[in-house]
Amino acid sequence: MIGKPDAMPTSNYSMTFNIFDPISLKPLVGESRSSAGDAISRTFDGAHVSTRTRLASDTDSVVNNDTAQAVFDVEGGMT
């Protein structure tokens, strides 16, 4: 909680969603959203990862990465 001692408490939340192959557990799509309106989504395709960031301030960005080998999403809620 953040606020002044005499103010009503405030809170934030975040949610993480994952879509993955049920047999190999390879990640396909991962998404994280916050109560502030920010969202990050990742699309996994073997060694290619596309990350789209949408901020509450209406700022969008897309970053594409290619790696030497297929990736595994260990931080996006698959742990």
Side-chain angles (χ1 to χ4, degrees):
M1 290 189 283
I2 299 172
K4 296 179 181 180
D6 60 342
M8 290 293 294
T10 60
S11 63
N12 295 310
Y13 68 87
S14 64
M15 297 181 290
T16 302
F17 303 92
N18 294 291
I19 301 172
F20 55 93
D21 181 278
I23 295 174
S24 67
L25 296 180
K26 291 189 304 186
L28 302 173
V29 177
E31 187 168 310
S32 175
R33 294 177 178 253
S34 76
S35 58
D38 301 335
I40 297 174
S41 61
R42 290 183 182 88
T43 303
F44 300 90
D45 186 13
H48 180 80
V49 180
S50 181
T51 303
R52 180 180 187 146
T53 304
R54 284 173 267 143
L55 302 177
S57 61
D58 291 331
T59 304
D60 268 13
S61 69
V62 176
V63 176
N64 293 296
N65 292 303
D66 291 302
T67 60
Q69 57 187 335
V71 297
F72 190 78
D73 181 20
V74 296
E75 190 169 288
M78 292 290 297
T79 55

